[in-house]
């Protein structure tokens, strides 16, 4: 079969898988997830071997260390991947849950009940763990999935998908409920964007701006956007110095390659002289390159120059841009101009300032006195995430199993007719 015919057949099989998941019991879906987690552990050596091949090819291409970190798996990361699937298995099943109920004066009883979306096509780049995360959340929420990994992590994704299929079959569910596109051919992405003959209900791009913008521009089906994480941490004049050092150091340096990493530090001019030096010292000691505006550079010797492009750059590397701002309003204005709507944070002892910041910043996640690296569905108690949605429709922020559902209205009457 040609690639187009192969992709259309995947769509048809996915529709059958969606019907099977929709009609399965919560216990059956949980059993599939538990078996999937066990298979990930059992197949750990095969997954690591496949990942080693992916990493070696990426290094030969000269891929950056930040992307190598995203691509790389270790025994610990596979253990964590399997543990995340176990958490999803234990997560309350969202299907059939009644989210609202009311009765009208005519006696009609209305309920709003959660239902699956149907078939999801998930396109992602160099994070092989997304294969397991996305599959688990789709199974939990009763959705079939067609996964298209980046070519850099294809071998790893195929090895992980084998565990997914094993878990589904062990629970008596069809393996085609979660399929993986097994070719690096870029034409496969174009086929997915067409909707595969109406079989795809939602597209989820998880990657850099170029991928997301292409999907949003060309897709013929609804898209759940996940833009880059151009995230800010703002140190208000009331910030505690010790807390500021710890929060900023974690927000930037805990793991620089994740989308929740802080990329720009904003410091209140009123307190910059005593807040910025200890924060900058801790960052530089940890190996972080700082690029600042003129005001920041006068306070920190050796700081590089921040160009205009730095304010809108997701570094995914130990690089941080720094700007001194004239208070909360200026910080918010900078964030709303340059931010990607992902995650923003304020460090402040002034609760009124913090409340104002959280009220007016336009982002899917806004934190007070906490690291931006908490932008993670697992940390929210969602049992994992398929991504951080920067969209304003359907779902925003971490997208877990519950956010991958729609709803229907169920109405019960006693023979009422409308006059």
């Amino acid at each position: 079969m040609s690639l187009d015919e192969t992709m259309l057949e995947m769509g048809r099989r996915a529709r059958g898988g969606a019907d099977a998941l929709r009609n399965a019991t919560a216990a059956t879906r949980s059993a599939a997830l538990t078996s999937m987690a066990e298979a990930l552990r059992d197949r750990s050596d095969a997954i690591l071997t496949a990942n080693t091949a992916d990493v070696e090819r990426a290094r030969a291409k000269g891929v950056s260390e930040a992307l190598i970190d995203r691509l790389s798996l270790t025994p610990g990361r596979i253990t964590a991947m399997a543990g995340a699937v176990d958490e999803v298995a234990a997560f309350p099943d969202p299907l059939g849950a009644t989210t609202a109920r009311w009765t009208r004066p005519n006696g009609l009883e209305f309920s709003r009940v959660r239902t699956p979306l149907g078939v999801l096509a998930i396109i992602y780049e160099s994070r092989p763990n997304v294969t397991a995360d996305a599959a688990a959340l789709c199974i939990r929420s009763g959705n079939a999935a067609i996964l298209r990994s980046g070519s850099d992590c294809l071998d790893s994704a195929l090895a992980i998908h084998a565990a997914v299929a094993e878990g589904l079959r062990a629970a008596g569910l069809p393996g085609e409920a979660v399929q993986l596109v097994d070719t690096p051919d870029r034409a496969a992405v174009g086929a997915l964007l067409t909707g595969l003959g109406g079989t795809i209900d939602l597209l989820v791009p998880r990657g850099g701006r170029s991928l997301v913008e292409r999907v949003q521009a060309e897709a013929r089906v609804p898209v759940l956007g996940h833009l880059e994480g151009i995230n800010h941490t703002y140190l208000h004049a009331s910030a505690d110095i010790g807390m500021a050092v710890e929060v900023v150091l974690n927000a930037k340096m805990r793991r620089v390659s994740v989308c929740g990493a802080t990329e720009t530090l904003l410091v209140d001019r009123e307190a910059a002289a005593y807040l910025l030096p200890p924060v900058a010292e801790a960052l530089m000691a940890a190996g972080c390159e700082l690029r600042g505006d003129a005001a920041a550079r006068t306070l920190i010797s050796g700081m590089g120059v921040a160009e205009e492009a730095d304010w809108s750059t997701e570094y995914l590397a130990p690089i941080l841009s720094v700007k001194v701002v004239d208070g909360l309003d200026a910080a918010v204005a900078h964030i709303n101009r340059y931010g990607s709507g992902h995650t923003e944070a304020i460090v402040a002892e002034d609760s009124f300032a913090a409340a104002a910041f959280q009220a007016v910043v336009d982002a899917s996640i806004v934190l007070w006195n906490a690291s931006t690296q908490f932008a993670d569905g697992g940390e929210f108690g969602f049992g994992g995430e398929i991504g951080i949605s920067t969209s304003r429709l359907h779902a925003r922020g971490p997208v877990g199993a519950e956010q991958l559902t729609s709803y229907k209205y169920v109405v019960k009457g006693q023979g009422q007719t409308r006059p």
Side-chain angles (χ1 to χ4, degrees):
M1 287 192 295
S2 68
L3 178 61
D4 285 345
E5 291 171 331
T6 298
M7 296 299 293
L8 286 170
E9 180 59 27
M10 289 187 78
R12 287 189 287 268
R13 293 200 303 267
R15 182 57 64 187
D19 291 340
L21 285 172
R22 177 190 293 269
N23 294 326
T25 64
T28 297
R29 292 191 295 272
S30 295
L33 290 165
T34 299
S35 295
M36 175 179 154
E38 292 173 355
L40 285 169
R41 297 184 183 98
D42 291 344
R43 294 172 177 266
S44 178
D45 289 344
I47 294 170
L48 288 171
T49 298
N51 184 248
T52 297
D54 283 335
V55 171
E56 288 176 352
R57 280 193 297 272
R59 287 193 188 281
K61 294 179 184 176
V63 171
S64 71
E65 284 304 310
L67 292 180
I68 291 292
D69 179 62
R70 283 189 168 199
L71 172 61
S72 298
L73 294 174
T74 64
R77 287 186 179 181
I78 293 176
T79 297
M81 190 191 309
V85 175
D86 278 329
E87 288 182 15
V88 175
F91 196 76
D93 193 86
L95 298 188
T98 299
T99 60
R101 181 182 286 115
W102 65 97
T103 302
R104 296 289 294 152
N106 61 6
L108 286 177
E109 300 174 11
F110 291 78
S111 299
R112 187 168 62 233
V113 180
R114 292 197 179 278
T115 61
L117 293 171
V119 177
L120 278 59
I122 303 162
I123 306 169
Y124 52 102
E125 294 180 334
S126 58
R127 282 189 182 277
N129 62 291
V130 175
T131 307
D133 294 345
L137 291 168
C138 287
I139 293 168
R140 177 76 289 163
S141 56
N143 296 297
I146 299 175
L147 309 178
R148 204 286 184 178
S149 77
S151 58
D152 286 344
C153 68
L154 182 56
D155 281 1
S156 305
L158 287 166
I160 293 168
H161 179 259
V164 175
E166 183 178 326
L168 286 165
R169 289 192 296 266
L173 293 168
E176 56 263 30
V178 178
Q179 299 174 76
L180 179 74
V181 178
D182 62 2
T183 175
D185 193 332
R186 291 177 180 270
V189 173
L192 291 173
L193 299 184
T194 68
L196 299 183
T199 58
I200 294 174
D201 297 293
L202 181 70
L203 274 162
V204 184
R206 180 167 176 173
R209 177 176 288 273
S210 61
L211 169 65
V212 176
E213 288 182 343
R214 179 193 175 189
V215 172
Q216 290 176 328
E218 299 180 18
R220 299 180 191 173
V221 294
V223 176
L224 187 65
H226 174 104
L227 282 177
E228 61 207 328
I230 302 176
N231 310 317
H232 303 75
T233 296
Y234 166 50
L235 303 183
H236 184 258
S238 68
D240 175 81
I241 295 176
M243 181 186 294
V245 170
E246 293 300 320
V247 168
V248 174
L249 186 62
N250 183 270
K252 178 68 235 182
M253 299 300 290
R254 171 190 167 270
R255 196 170 172 195
V256 298
S257 64
V258 298
C259 63
T262 286
E263 303 291 16
T264 296
L265 175 66
L266 303 175
V267 187
D268 197 307
R269 191 178 305 277
E270 182 182 333
Y274 61 85
L275 275 179
L276 183 54
V279 172
E281 181 182 357
L283 287 164
M284 291 188 290
C288 185
E289 175 190 342
L290 302 181
R291 300 176 183 176
D293 66 355
R297 296 197 307 275
T298 62
L299 296 171
I300 307 298
S301 62
M303 180 181 286
V305 177
E307 306 289 350
E308 175 64 22
D310 284 297
W311 309 126
S312 55
T313 297
E314 183 184 33
Y315 298 112
L316 301 176
I319 305 170
L320 183 69
S321 55
V322 183
K323 184 174 185 179
V324 176
V325 295
D326 293 317
L328 189 145
D329 289 345
V332 170
H334 180 97
I335 289 168
N336 287 345
R337 177 179 177 184
Y338 294 102
S340 57
H342 193 291
T343 301
E344 310 295 350
I346 180 173
V347 179
E349 294 299 293
D350 184 335
S351 61
F352 293 101
F357 181 88
Q358 291 185 301
V360 298
V361 164
D362 184 17
S364 66
I365 303 169
V366 188
L367 302 116
W368 173 21
N369 289 345
S371 167
T372 56
Q373 300 233 358
F374 282 104
D376 177 89
E379 295 296 329
F380 275 59
F382 291 176
E385 67 173 45
I386 209 165
I388 307 291
S389 171
T390 52
S391 298
R392 290 178 173 81
L393 298 178
H394 177 66
R396 199 177 194 198
V399 179
E402 182 178 301
Q403 289 73 35
L404 291 178
T405 62
S406 184
Y407 56 83
K408 62 183 175 183
Y409 289 102
V410 176
V411 185
K412 181 181 178 181
Q414 301 86 32
Q416 287 93 332
T417 59
R418 186 171 176 178

